Amino acid sequence: CFFALKVWNAQNAGAAAVLVTDDVEEALITMDTPEEDTESAKYIANITIPSALVTKTFGEKLKKAISDGEMVNVYLDWRESVPHPDDRVEYELWSNSNDECGVKCDMLMAFLKDFKGAAQVLEKGGYTQFTPHYITWYCPQAFTVSKQCKSQCINHGRYCAPDPEQDFSVGYEGKDVVLENLRQLCVFRVANETKRPWIWWDYVTDFQIRCPMKDKKYNKDCAEAVIKTLDIDLKKINECMGDPDADSDNTILKEEQDAQVGKGSRGDVTILPTLVVNNRQYRGKLEKGAVLKALCAGFEETTEPSVCLSGDVETNECLEKNGGCWQDKITNITACKDTFRGRVCECPVVNGVQFKGDGYNSCVARGPGRCKISHGGCWNENRNGIAFSACVDDDDGKCTCPEGFTGDGVKSCEDVDECKEKKACQCPECNCKNTWGSYECSCSGDLLYIRDHDACISKSSGRVRSAWSVFWIIILGLAIAAAGAYLVYKYRIRSYMDSEIRAIMAQYMPLDSQ
């Protein structure tokens, strides 16, 4: 059985650690299964005990020492197995943009996302030099015109990748994977020319999130949308990729095929993913903590960066170009959130108002109160102190042009010419003048315009009506004053008469109290 399965069986049997001896004298490659196998990928991910592959010669020495009854101590230490010549570590990752190859692809994508923050810190500080690589195969000359080669290869069979679904009649083709691999190589090269090689990590993780095969977005349009958000020169990328239909070598992919061949202590790269540190193949688990320890072991003693001496890595990716996320510069609202594992693009909640969108290209306020925040993303304009907005403060989140305007409400609302469209001032004597967002009506001659009735009346008739109104107001006031005076008079007369009668009766009919 394969080496990895031996370790899995030993772990289930209770082993604390496993050393696997190669059965032939050769440059060590890996203990991983040399073929795509869903079952093996599952148990490989669950191996938790330390394990290592050793050469046949070293293994024979161990066996002899044990058989002779000697005490054998084996110390697994990265500091001795990884060369550490200077204060910079060179490492490379052989991977694939295909995200539908099962457990291994899931493991690779999870590693890229998790390790991105640490990788960018090390690269920005000049502590490491990272290089991405991609494996391709070539189609034999006799089969270059076959359906299989045409669907899996570019440049007339020179560079190929397996069909993602293993079915030539459905889904994506192998050449789609080759083209995206080439695009990712060119992203690294162009970013490296601008002294920003760490942008490659942003691109591959964003492409994974925004352009997965399962959502049918694994294509050129989605890839170029990611490139634009990261401020990378798209023209240079396309020039770098060249013509995939040309019957000639592609310089970039030819270099990748040459690099697959083993050199020195590093064997041939035949299995994905493969990590090489200081030209020595890494054989541990592909997870952040283990890989970071391997990289730190590659530094010359006392030259390690602080990240190697601490238990965590912290970086604020939102400080540079807003992390490639959506941002409203007017209100200083951003979808970029810095986390331990890097940045994520999620639409925010501001003053109780939830923004919704993909977080990369757009975030739009939704729900009550949204119009208070940048007009809810709707059209708005202010002219000469007069402001209009297409934002409607409701749960629908729609943008509707206000009365007197027409348009989509988001990008534009055009002023309606009520006079030209005969929506106002339609009386024979009316004169119409269009204004921004409204209109003005006037009447010819000695006439007065009444807007509510869309009519013109004589100013003199208006003055007569005003005079009669004043007359009746005066009459009404006098009547009220007379009624009031009469009531006061009546009350005072009655009070006087009551007091006189009481005085007369008091003289002739004394009261009991007297």
Side-chain angles (χ1 to χ4, degrees), residues 500-514:
E500 289 292 324
I501 292 170
R502 287 176 65 87
I504 294 171
M505 291 180 68
Q507 292 179 3
Y508 295 97
M509 298 174 65
L511 299 175
D512 293 342
S513 61
Q514 295 178 345

Side-chain angles (χ1 to χ4, degrees), residues 402-416:
E403 185 178 358
F405 291 86
T406 181
D408 60 9
V410 178
K411 296 182 178 179
S412 66
C413 285
E414 299 295 334
D415 179 36
V416 174

Side-chain angles (χ1 to χ4, degrees), residues 20 35 41 52 54 71 156 225 255 309 323 327 416 496 512 514:
V20 179
E35 59 186 23
V54 299
M71 175 62 72
H156 291 254
E255 290 177 3
L309 306 176
Q327 182 184 28
V416 174
Y496 176 75
D512 293 342
Q514 295 178 345

